[in-house]
């Protein structure tokens, strides 16, 4: 046990050093220096063996973690905005989404989320009529994959509180080849989640992106708001983190989802280093009569078997160069 504590302490110390370096960057936008630091951070935090219980951190480490989660969210938003602008310069942006550095990771995440939803929620929720994606961003890759691959008949409404992000997202679809009638089934709306009320009752499934509510109190408030306004029986899919991955994105505890008025159906923690997000699948307004399935050893997890290395320190810039080359 003492050895495990020493390993965890050493990892937290390493992460703190990376946080200090990231905090000194002149900008969080993609650059060789920023890319190298964030890649090193992901490499340190993402492996399942990186076992740190963020709930037990001391006050100083908790403050460091909170700031690091915020910095990661900011950096990701800047990367997506930069890539969205570069893709929009191409004749058919949707045909080149694979140029986004983390495209394959999001493909696997989408497969996992839909598989968990199909396995643990009532059948009709796996083929919904209306879906909301909260926190879709400038490059709404997850929402696009849902509409194109997993829910081909659903109307997918994307919400983001940043109007500029929504404009970037719309531009991608306006210039894209609309195979599968994707653009016609997607909309982009500028709104804060907590400003949505009766609209939420129209959706069969709501996806909650990790950056929506970065601080724990914000996330709890958002989930409670969804619990008050989503339709009874509707599904909620929440992205969370486990272990040291909690230094990269917010951790959502199943108990927090239950307090919001949901039955937790499944909790999945990825077993490889390529998928950072944990996934919680819940249903509004049903008593939890049986415990949720946690990291189920089921066929839905087959999507994780393809092991890939953590992207290299130059992956963002290499991808951007390739996007620009094709645009020219």
């Amino acid at each position: 046990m003492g050895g495990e504590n020493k390993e965890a302490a050493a990892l937290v110390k390493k992460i703190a050093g990376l946080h200090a370096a990231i905090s000194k960057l002149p900008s969080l936008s993609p650059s060789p220096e920023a890319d190298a630091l964030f890649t090193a951070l992901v490499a340190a935090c993402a492996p399942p063996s990186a076992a740190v219980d963020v709930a037990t951190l001391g006050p100083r480490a908790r403050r460091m973690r909170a700031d690091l989660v915020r910095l990661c969210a900011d950096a990701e938003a800047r990367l997506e905005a930069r890539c969205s602008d570069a893709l929009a310069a191409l004749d058919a942006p949707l045909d080149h989404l694979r140029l986004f550095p983390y495209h394959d990771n999001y493909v696997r995440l989408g497969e996992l989320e839909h598989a968990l939803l199909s396995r643990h929620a009532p059948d009709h929720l796996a083929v919904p009529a209306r879906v909301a994606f909260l926190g879709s961003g400038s490059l709404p890759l997850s929402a696009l994959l849902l509409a194109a691959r997993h829910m081909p008949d659903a109307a997918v409404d994307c919400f983001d509180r940043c109007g500029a992000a929504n404009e970037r997202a719309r531009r991608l679809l306006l210039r894209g080849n609309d195979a599968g009638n994707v653009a016609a089934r997607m909309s982009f709306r500028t709104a804060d989640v907590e400003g949505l009320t009766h609209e939420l009752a129209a959706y069969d499934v709501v996806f909650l992106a990790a950056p929506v509510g970065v601080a724990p109190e914000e996330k709890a408030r958002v989930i409670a708001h969804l619990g008050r306004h989503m339709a009874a029986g509707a599904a909620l899919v929440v992205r969370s983190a486990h272990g040291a991955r909690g230094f990269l994105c917010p951790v959502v505890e199943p108990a927090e989802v239950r307090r919001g008025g949901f039955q937790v159906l499944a909790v999945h923690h990825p077993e490889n280093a390529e998928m950072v997000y944990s996934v919680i699948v819940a249903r509004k307004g049903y008593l939890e009569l049986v415990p949720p399935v946690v990291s189920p050893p089921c066929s839905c997890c087959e999507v994780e078997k393809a092991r890939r290395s953590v992207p290299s320190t130059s992956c963002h810039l290499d991808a951007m160069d390739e996007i620009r080359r094709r645009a020219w």
Side-chain angles (χ1 to χ4, degrees):
M1 190 66 179
E4 292 178 3
N5 288 339
K6 288 181 179 179
E7 288 180 9
L11 179 57
V12 172
K13 183 177 180 180
K14 179 179 182 179
I15 293 169
L18 289 167
H19 167 258
I22 291 170
S23 299
K24 294 176 183 176
L25 287 170
S27 171
L28 294 175
S29 296
S31 69
E33 187 178 6
D35 202 32
L37 286 171
F38 280 107
T39 298
L41 180 65
V42 172
C45 298
S49 59
V52 176
D53 185 354
V54 297
T56 65
L57 295 173
R60 184 175 180 181
R62 282 201 301 271
R63 289 193 296 271
M64 179 272 290
R65 174 187 165 261
D67 190 54
L68 191 53
V69 168
R70 179 187 61 79
L71 291 170
C72 287
D74 190 350
E76 182 179 4
R78 290 168 184 259
L79 171 65
E80 291 187 5
R82 181 79 65 86
C83 285
S84 184
D85 289 342
L87 285 166
L90 303 176
D91 289 334
L94 299 186
D95 291 343
H96 302 286
L97 291 176
R98 286 185 176 277
L99 295 174
F100 181 62
Y102 297 113
H103 173 273
D104 290 349
N105 302 62
Y106 279 99
V107 168
R108 290 195 291 274
L109 178 60
E111 289 172 345
L112 175 63
E113 288 175 327
H114 186 253
L116 290 170
L117 191 63
S118 300
R119 183 178 179 86
H120 299 288
D123 291 345
H124 72 280
L125 294 180
V127 286
R130 295 196 67 185
V131 174
F133 196 98
L134 309 179
S136 48
S138 301
L139 184 61
L141 186 54
S142 290
L144 283 166
L145 291 169
L146 281 172
R149 299 189 180 193
H150 305 300
M151 300 175 178
D153 298 317
V156 179
D157 295 333
C158 300
F159 294 87
D160 200 285
R161 65 183 179 182
C162 177
N166 286 323
E167 285 303 315
R168 284 186 166 97
R170 288 191 194 98
R171 185 174 53 182
L172 290 178
L173 267 71
L174 288 173
R175 291 179 55 81
N177 292 328
D178 195 15
N181 204 32
V182 172
R185 291 187 288 110
M186 294 185 70
S187 71
F188 297 90
R189 307 181 186 184
T190 302
D192 189 282
V193 173
E194 294 181 81
L196 301 173
T197 54
H198 64 278
E199 302 98 326
L200 292 169
Y203 297 106
D204 303 303
V205 183
V206 174
F207 288 81
L208 182 62
V212 180
V214 172
E217 61 275 14
E218 293 173 342
K219 187 75 75 174
R221 199 167 60 239
V222 166
I223 291 173
H225 180 82
L226 295 176
R228 286 192 295 272
H229 296 288
M230 284 174 58
L236 175 66
V237 181
V238 181
R239 292 178 180 176
S240 179
H242 183 66
R245 295 166 181 172
F247 287 96
L248 303 174
C249 53
V251 174
V252 181
E253 297 293 345
E256 196 68 63
V257 179
R258 293 188 195 98
R259 282 194 289 271
F262 296 88
Q263 175 194 6
V264 176
L265 303 176
V267 182
H268 182 85
H269 303 306
E271 297 178 352
N272 63 45
E274 288 74 49
M275 293 180 66
V276 169
Y277 294 119
S278 296
V279 178
I280 299 174
V281 176
R283 196 178 184 202
K284 163 70 185 299
Y286 281 77
L287 292 176
E288 194 165 306
L289 301 178
V290 295
V293 177
V294 180
S295 292
C298 61
S299 58
C300 69
C301 304
E302 293 295 314
V303 296
E304 293 188 46
K305 284 189 174 179
R307 305 264 178 175
R308 301 191 181 187
S309 59
V310 174
S312 68
T313 55
S314 62
C315 67
H316 297 171
L317 301 179
D318 289 346
M320 294 301 301
D321 289 343
E322 178 66 11
I323 293 171
R324 293 192 187 98
R325 184 185 67 77
R326 298 195 186 195
W328 295 338

